[in-house]
Amino acid sequence: MQLGVSLEPPRWPTGAGGLVLQTALRAEQLGLDYLLASDHLLHSEGGAVLDPLTLLSAVAGATSRIRLATSILALPYRHPLTVAQQAAGLDVLSGGRFALGVGTGWDPAEFAALGLDVRQRGARTDEALAVLRALWNGAPVDFEGRFTTLAKAVPATAPRAKGGPDIWVGGQSDAALRRALRFGDGWHGGVSTPEQVHEVRGRLDAFGEQVDRDPSDLMLSSVCFVVPPGFEPAVPLPGEPLGGPGASTAQLVDALGRLGSAGLSLVSLWMPLDALQLHDALDWVATELLGQLRAVEPAE
């Protein structure tokens, strides 16, 4: 199982561009597999929330090995031709290290600010995914849909390979799981127990028969939040952390191992800490979690 980190404390301080890139480089140096970034449009109290595609473009130029993903990009907020161009650019700049994690979005205030109907988010997402796949196929695209019309459109930037970067589809609703099977290379969720992983896998198996897709083709990944032992969260916790409140390092290693055994290929850790604590927290992740997880993995 691969281990990643969300490159987002609750808030980056304004003017923290150097700190962001130092944190990304540290994660790569420590041997972590992925850096992930989420998507928010509206301001809330605190410091800077960085656009994920802008953030990951900067990280792509500063790193050479670690893989990158949006976790997740709210696809209905954007025209699919724009997303196709931006994602293809990140695919090229990163040398193929980028995965486009997408979802429907959920915040009614953000939809209202964009003049969009939140009730159409699922239909917009499905249509946008169909457009992305067509645009990355290499041929001029004619498309007439509810929200998108294209005539002989070809993105200015072509992805490195026909078909474009991997797409991970987020969400745990029935519609989201069907969407992952129809359009995705992976499914990306927020499960944190083996029971939850097994439940998602069972539903994917059932829906796979309906859409004629083998669910075993999908990479399964999840974001889990963790408060490292000895650290204090910078914000109220959104729920129960991985391993339970106050989990020890040994309990967290066990919890991650059981998620891998249940079928997750990637767990990304979101640590709700002050940005200045992330450097030390990454050291803990690499030495206490990643080291032990890899020590018990069977040799290939």
Side-chain angles (χ1 to χ4, degrees):
M1 186 182 70
Q2 295 181 305
L3 196 62
V5 292
S6 294
L7 192 58
E8 46 182 304
R11 289 286 178 263
W12 288 108
T14 302
L19 178 60
V20 174
L21 295 183
Q22 290 168 17
T23 304
L25 281 167
R26 186 60 178 162
E28 179 171 77
Q29 292 164 357
L30 290 169
L32 291 162
D33 299 295
Y34 268 93
L35 289 168
L36 285 80
S38 66
D39 187 19
H40 302 285
L41 292 182
L42 293 180
H43 174 78
S44 59
E45 293 302 318
V49 175
L50 302 174
D51 173 81
L53 295 174
T54 304
L55 169 61
L56 294 177
S57 294
V59 170
T63 58
S64 60
R65 179 199 61 80
I66 198 165
R67 300 184 68 84
L68 316 170
T70 49
S71 173
I72 55 177
L73 191 77
L75 200 51
Y77 294 173
R78 300 162 174 88
H79 194 287
L81 179 57
T82 301
V83 177
Q85 166 76 353
Q86 292 173 318
L90 242 173
D91 180 46
V92 171
L93 290 171
S94 68
R97 292 182 286 137
F98 173 64
L100 179 66
V102 302
T104 62
W106 61 270
D107 188 346
E110 293 189 337
F111 279 91
L114 293 167
L116 300 173
D117 186 346
V118 68
R119 296 171 297 181
Q120 295 178 339
R121 63 190 185 277
R124 283 184 174 276
T125 300
D126 287 343
E127 184 169 296
L129 285 167
V131 173
L132 287 177
R133 288 301 195 192
L135 288 168
W136 288 336
N137 199 39
V141 173
D142 292 306
F143 190 92
E144 182 71 37
R146 289 177 61 188
F147 313 105
T148 308
T149 300
L150 299 173
K152 295 181 172 53
V154 179
T157 301
R160 295 174 76 250
K162 185 177 179 180
D166 283 354
I167 292 176
W168 302 349
V169 177
Q172 289 166 226
S173 68
D174 288 352
L177 297 183
R178 292 190 182 97
R179 187 173 297 121
L181 288 162
R182 290 174 58 204
F183 298 107
D185 301 288
W187 171 81
H188 188 59
V191 294
S192 59
T193 68
E195 293 76 18
Q196 291 170 335
V197 178
H198 290 309
E199 191 265 342
V200 167
R201 292 179 68 185
R203 290 162 65 202
L204 285 169
D205 287 342
F207 295 145
E209 297 179 3
Q210 299 175 13
V211 301
D212 194 26
R213 172 79 185 277
D214 185 352
S216 66
D217 292 342
L218 287 178
M219 186 194 86
L220 305 184
S221 61
S222 184
V223 174
C224 302
F225 82 89
V226 169
V227 179
F231 289 77
E232 291 295 327
V235 294
L237 300 182
E240 184 165 309
L242 182 68
S248 67
T249 297
Q251 288 172 319
L252 289 168
V253 170
D254 179 67
L256 288 167
R258 288 188 290 114
L259 289 175
S261 297
L264 290 187
S265 297
L266 165 68
V267 172
S268 178
L269 305 177
W270 177 63
M271 296 179 286
L273 307 176
D274 183 274
L276 297 175
Q277 293 182 302
L278 280 184
H279 188 281
D280 289 341
L282 285 174
D283 285 348
W284 170 82
V285 170
T287 58
E288 300 296 336
L289 297 186
L290 188 60
Q292 292 193 51
L293 283 172
R294 290 185 174 166
V296 300
E297 287 178 352
E300 295 184 359

